[in-house]
Amino acid sequence: MDIILWIAQNIFVTPAVLLGLIVLIGLLLQKKGPSQVISGTFKTIIGFLIINAGAGVIAGTLGIFEPMWKEVFNLESTALSDFMGQDAFSNEFGSMVAMAMTLGFLINVLLARFTKAKYIYLTGHMMFWTAMIFTGIVVNTVGTDVNFWGAVILLAVVLGIYWTVQPALTQPILRKITGNDNIALGHTSASVALLGALGGKLFGNKENDAEKLKLPKGLEFLRDSNVITALTMGILFVIGAIVVMTKSTPGAQELVASAGSQNFIVFAMIQSFTFAAGIAVVLMGVRMFIGELVPAFKGIATKIVPGAKPAFDVPIIFPFAPNAVVLGFLGAFVGALIWLVIIGNTVAYIFVPTMIVLFFHGAAAGVFGNATGGVRGALLGGFLTATVVAWGQYLMVTTFIGKTIPDTAMWAADSDMFILGPIVSFLAQLLL
Amino acid sequence: MKVLTVCGLGQGTSLILKMNVESVLQSMGISGADVENTDVSSASSMNADFIITSQELSETLAGHSSTIIVVNNYFDEEEIKKALEPHVS
C-alpha cells in the first residue's frame, strides 16, 4: 500500500514525470534503443518544465497590456479576479491534463478502429492545449476539489470524440482543396474553417479564385510566427503607450512610472518583444515533449488501426491556396482590431489578439472560404475567425476559465475550444 | 549527419516532415542521422548539414551555411527521397 501511495504522491502529481513515463512506455513499446529511450524521456520532462517558465513571461507582459488598454478606453482598472495562473495550475492539475490527453488519444484510436471515421489525430501541440484549456474549464466549473479520475474520464471521452469527429467534419471540403483523401485536418480551427466555407458559399463568388490574384512580394515575413507576433503586438503596445502618455489620470501616471527611467514607448516596444519571446519559450518546451510523444502515439495507432488516415496540423493545407492564406489572415487581423475597439467600449473587456490564433485560424478559414467563395469568401472567413476568437476569449476569460487559467486562454485558446468550452462546462456540472 | 526540418511554427508540420525524413533515410539504409524539427527563426541560427523545408521558407533561409533542400509535399516520401538522393548516398 505504501508503495502505491508513494507512486501516487511522487509520480502522478508531478505532470512532467508522468508525461516522461508515458513517453518511456511508448518508446519501449516501439523497441527503441537505450540512447533514444533516455533522450526521449528526458526531453519530455525538460520540455514540460520549460512551458511554465515561458508562461510566466507571457503573463508578465499581459499584466502591462491589459491596464494599458483599459486606460486607453477609460475603463475601470479592475484586474482579473483571483486566479491560479498557468504555473500553479500546471503543478496542481498538469497530471490531469496529461492523463486526459493520453486516454483521449486511446479513445480516438479505438473509435477509428471500430467506426467508419478512420481518423487518427496527430497534431500533438493542439492536443495538449485543448486538453489544458478543457481541464481549466472543468476545474473552474466544479472547483479545485474535483474528483481526479472523474474529471480525467469526462475529459478523455470529450477529447477522444472531438479528435475523431472533427477531421471527419472537415474532410468533404478538404478533399476538394487537396484533391485527395489521404490526409485529414486535425486542428482546432475546424469550426472557423467550416464557418468560412459556409460564409463563402452564401456571400462569396467561387469564380473569383484568390489564387488568380497577384499578391505583392515581400510578404515572406508572414511565414515566421515569431516575427508577426512581435510586429502586431508591437503595433498595439506602441499605440496604447502613446495614448497613455497623453493622459494625466493616476492610472496612466502609474503605468508610465512602471517603466522607471526608460522612455515609456521604448518600454512598451520591449514588452511586445518579451511577449513574443515568452511564446517562443513555451513553444520550445511544447516542441520538446510533443516531438517525443507524437511518434510514440503514431507507433501505437498504426499498429492497432489498419487504413487509418492521419489528421495533421493546419499548415498542410496552405500550399494548396497560398493567396487565400494571406487574405484570411488580413481579414482576421482587421476583424481583431475592430472587435478590440467594440468589445473594449461595450463590455469593457480587453481582447488580446494573438497572432498565432489569428494567423493559423484565419488562414484556415481563408483557404476554406476561398474554396466555396473566392476572394470574398477568404476575407469573410478571416473576419468570422476574428469574431469567434474575440467573443470566445471574452466569454472564456470572464465566465468559463476566470478562476483557473485565464492567462493561458488569452493566447493559447482558440476557435474550437471556445465553441466546445460551454459544452464541456455544462457536462462537468451535470456529471461531476 | 544533422538534419533540420523546418516549418513556420516549428510544431506540427515540421514534426511530420521529421518522421517522414527519418523513415526515408532508413529506407535508404542511412543510420545515425540526427533529425530535429524547429521553427524558421530558430533554424537560421542553428548549425546542420541539411535543412529541409518548403519553397517559401527556403527564401527566408537563403544564405544559411547548411545545404537547403526544398520539399513541397511533406507527405510524399517519394518526393522526399528524390530531393535527398543527390545529397546523401
Side-chain angles (χ1 to χ4, degrees), chain B residues 3-69:
Chain B
V3 182
L4 289 177
T5 61
V6 175
C7 70
L9 195 59
Q11 297 287 331
T13 328
S14 54
L15 175 61
I16 301 305
L17 181 60
K18 174 188 128 149
M19 301 197 304
N20 288 338
V21 167
E22 279 172 342
S23 105
V24 166
L25 285 174
Q26 205 174 16
S27 76
M28 291 165 77
I30 296 163
S31 58
D34 175 17
V35 189
E36 198 182 333
N37 64 309
T38 190
D39 65 295
V40 62
S41 325
S42 307
S44 52
S45 59
M46 285 166 84
N47 285 321
D49 298 307
F50 302 106
I51 293 180
I52 308 179
T53 189
S54 64
Q55 182 65 46
E56 292 89 4
L57 292 176
S58 71
E59 287 162 26
T60 316
L61 288 166
H64 198 285
S65 59
S66 313
T67 307
I68 296 180
I69 300 173

Side-chain angles (χ1 to χ4, degrees), chain A residues 224-226 283 287 312 316, chain B residues 9-11 16 37 39 41 75:
Chain A
D224 188 326
S225 65
N226 290 312
L283 291 181
R287 178 157 63 237
F312 291 126
I316 59 153
Chain B
L9 195 59
Q11 297 287 331
I16 301 305
N37 64 309
D39 65 295
S41 325
F75 306 97

Side-chain angles (χ1 to χ4, degrees), chain A residues 38-60:
Chain A
I38 293 170
S39 82
T41 309
F42 279 24
K43 278 162 81 179
T44 303
I45 296 171
I46 299 166
F48 193 83
L49 294 171
I50 289 175
I51 295 169
N52 285 357
V57 174
I58 296 168

Side-chain angles (χ1 to χ4, degrees), chain A residues 140-384:
Chain A
N140 197 86
T141 307
V142 184
T144 49
D145 55 351
V146 60
N147 177 283
F148 182 87
W149 287 106
V152 164
I153 290 166
L154 171 67
L155 286 161
V157 170
V158 169
L159 292 169
I161 293 173
Y162 168 61
W163 291 334
T164 315
V165 170
Q166 178 264 305
L169 289 175
T170 43
Q171 195 64 3
I173 295 170
L174 190 73
R175 214 177 287 136
K176 276 185 210 154
I177 295 168
T178 62
N180 70 53
D181 203 16
N182 303 330
I183 53 169
L185 178 69
H187 195 253
T188 48
S189 58
S191 55
V192 290
L194 291 174
L195 270 178
L198 180 69
K201 198 167 193 175
L202 293 177
F203 303 104
N205 175 9
K206 200 177 171 180
E207 302 311 307
N208 193 10
D209 192 327
E211 301 319 304
K212 289 181 195 148
L213 287 178
K214 281 231 178 293
L215 285 176
K217 276 261 167 193
L219 290 168
E220 282 88 18
F221 69 92
L222 282 180
R223 312 270 169 196
D224 188 326
S225 65
N226 290 312
V227 177
I228 47 173
T229 301
L231 185 75
T232 42
M233 281 304 271
I235 294 170
L236 293 176
F237 259 113
V238 168
I239 294 173
I242 292 170
V243 176
V244 165
M245 280 183 85
T246 60
K247 294 185 138 191
S248 56
T249 57
Q253 282 170 344
E254 198 182 309
L255 271 169
V256 174
S258 65
S261 58
Q262 198 167 37
N263 175 282
F264 190 59
I265 293 170
V266 176
F267 172 80
M269 274 168 73
I270 293 170
Q271 291 299 316
S272 62
F273 286 112
T274 309
F275 178 85
I279 289 187
V281 172
V282 172
L283 291 181
M284 186 181 120
V286 174
R287 178 157 63 237
M288 273 179 92
F289 88 87
I290 292 298
E292 304 303 328
L293 201 59
V294 168
F297 275 5
K298 190 170 184 245
I300 296 167
T302 45
K303 271 181 198 147
I304 306 177
V305 191
K309 283 177 201 160
F312 291 126
D313 198 2
V314 69
I316 59 153
I317 66 172
F318 294 176
F320 295 100
N323 285 351
V325 167
V326 176
L327 292 175
F329 170 64
L330 285 177
F333 184 58
V334 171
L337 294 181
I338 294 171
W339 286 122
L340 175 75
V341 173
I342 293 177
I343 295 179
N345 279 308
T346 51
V347 294
Y349 171 76
I350 303 302
F351 168 51
V352 180
T354 55
M355 285 312 118
I356 291 181
V357 177
L358 292 183
F359 181 75
F360 288 97
H361 292 239
V367 174
F368 273 67
N370 180 52
T372 58
V375 171
R376 220 181 303 152
L379 287 166
L380 181 66
F383 180 78
L384 291 170

